[in-house]
Amino acid sequence: MHGSATAHPNVALVKYWGKRRSRGNLPAMGSLSLTLGFFATRTTVRFDEAGGQDQLTLNGRANSRDLKRVQDCLAPLRSRSAATGAAAVDSRNDFPTGAGLASSASGMAALALAGATALGLAEDPDLVGRAAMAGSGSAPRSLHGGFVLLSIDSQGRWSCRSLLSPDEWPLKVAVAITQAGLKQTDSRSGMELTRRTSPFYKAWLASQKSDLADARAAVAQRDFGRLAELSEGNCLRMHAAAMGASPPLVYFNGATVECINRVRALARDGLPVFFTIDAGPQVKAVCLPDALDDVSDALGRVPGVRRVLSGDLGGAARPGTP
Ligand code: DP6
């Protein structure tokens, strides 16, 4: 039994940073993201009924570090299927892994869909969503395309859906790579440290609800200026909460800060662009289509930027690995 799937990473404009206490992997807040069509994870899962051990190969190398996360993701599928045996998972990213580019989101979304396809369960989107969520709190968003909302109510019931397709508002994204290699503190440990130790965590959590509602309205109205203001504010508040942790978490390097300054200077000059940064030093600049060349050019000239990758928003995760 085998199945394969392709999923794109996503970048959150209203971010998830903190889990609900004693609720497994469930985020403590909703989030809103853009699916990035120019990066992809391709994953194949084989279930061997003869047994043996689960195995993960990531980018061509055996990987035991992330095997637990893979098993967490497959667990909801396994509980719905008769003997599945051992899983052999082969996953490849065509972009830097573990560097703040949401590889866990696209990885767990592709795995959930590939596993469900292998077991004949892909027609049940709720189950695929639950599997993705069990792997990573940002992964359900990567099952959908364009502008994606993950909402959670006070009881912890959640749902995830696309608000607009890429065609309905074709924004562009440029990613400035300021550092290669693995980030220092992964999102999971970073957000838990922030929740436990940062005096700013409560304020961060309290501001999420209105940010999410306002960002939804800005997306519905295609109001770029409003979305820019909300996204930059939400991003810097998440990082402020993380910097308040003990020990402090600083995901920025010098070039990250210079990219922020450059994007703000471009926006002051009238270019429709804003920045956002996840748990790593790379900077994502979101812009209207006509601004992409100028934005990519300007970021490429910031000292410390190694390269700029850019492109369109992407669609939903899909079976197969083209
Ligand atoms: C800063 O989804 O990677 O990218 O649920 O533990 O896998 P886990 O965390 P993860 O955290 C994402 C953090 C973020 C913001 C976001 O994508 O919403």
Side-chain angles (χ1 to χ4, degrees):
M1 280 183 298
H2 76 279
S4 57
T6 302
H8 301 296
N10 66 76
V11 55
L13 303 185
V14 178
K15 297 181 188 297
Y16 141 54
W17 192 251
K19 294 184 200 295
R20 220 159 265 254
R21 289 173 83 166
S22 32
R23 286 298 294 269
N25 201 39
L26 205 58
M29 70 286 285
S31 53
L32 189 149
S33 63
L34 303 177
T35 301
L36 304 182
F38 50 103
F39 294 144
T41 299
R42 295 179 172 82
T43 299
T44 300
V45 185
R46 281 172 206 286
F47 289 104
D48 181 356
E49 284 171 86
Q53 308 242 314
D54 291 338
Q55 283 171 15
L56 167 66
T57 306
L58 182 60
N59 297 325
R61 290 195 185 167
N63 177 314
S64 53
R65 202 194 58 168
D66 295 313
L67 189 59
K68 164 83 170 59
R69 194 187 270 266
V70 164
Q71 291 167 327
D72 289 347
C73 177
L74 293 178
L77 304 176
R78 283 178 153 147
S79 68
R80 278 281 286 279
S81 183
T84 57
V89 176
D90 187 274
S91 188
R92 280 162 207 276
N93 296 327
D94 64 5
F95 58 94
T97 301
L101 291 177
S103 55
S104 68
S106 54
M108 292 299 119
L111 176 63
L113 187 55
T117 304
L119 300 172
L121 298 168
E123 299 305 310
D124 183 344
D126 287 348
L127 178 64
V128 178
R130 282 206 302 284
M133 176 64 92
S136 179
S138 54
R141 301 190 315 237
S142 275
L143 292 170
H144 302 274
F147 295 75
V148 181
L149 173 72
L150 197 159
S151 34
I152 303 192
D153 70 15
S154 54
Q155 310 298 310
R157 284 181 297 246
W158 63 274
S159 63
C160 190
R161 67 188 167 95
S162 177
L163 297 174
L164 288 182
S165 71
D167 292 345
E168 289 174 300
W169 198 12
L171 300 186
K172 304 274 182 186
V173 181
V175 181
I177 307 286
T178 65
Q179 194 174 305
L182 286 178
K183 60 195 173 199
Q184 285 167 340
T185 308
D186 64 83
S187 312
R188 186 162 290 189
S189 335
M191 67 174 77
E192 179 55 12
L193 185 71
T194 305
R195 187 188 66 75
R196 281 196 300 106
T197 65
S198 175
F200 309 141
Y201 181 74
K202 275 207 174 99
W204 154 250
L205 193 59
S207 70
Q208 281 298 93
K209 214 173 178 174
S210 65
D211 273 7
L212 200 59
D214 293 351
R216 276 181 76 169
V219 168
Q221 292 156 14
R222 323 283 206 274
D223 184 340
F224 188 85
R226 184 76 187 116
L227 189 62
E229 193 184 335
L230 283 160
S231 303
E232 291 187 352
N234 185 272
C235 163
L236 293 178
R237 246 179 286 117
M238 179 200 110
H239 284 278
M243 286 180 200
S246 180
L249 289 164
V250 181
Y251 286 105
F252 300 170
N253 60 30
T256 313
V257 177
E258 279 314 310
C259 286
I260 293 177
N261 291 337
R262 193 63 57 95
V263 168
R264 294 184 116 182
L266 293 173
R268 266 197 309 275
D269 289 347
L271 227 56
V273 61
F274 66 86
F275 66 82
T276 189
I277 302 154
D278 287 320
Q282 331 298 5
V283 177
K284 288 102 177 183
V286 180
C287 62
L288 292 180
D290 287 351
L292 183 64
D293 288 349
D294 287 345
V295 168
S296 300
D297 232 50
L299 288 176
R301 279 187 273 108
V302 171
V305 170
R306 293 160 180 243
R307 60 196 166 126
V308 180
L309 304 164
S310 66
D312 298 326
L313 304 188
R318 55 206 175 270
T321 51

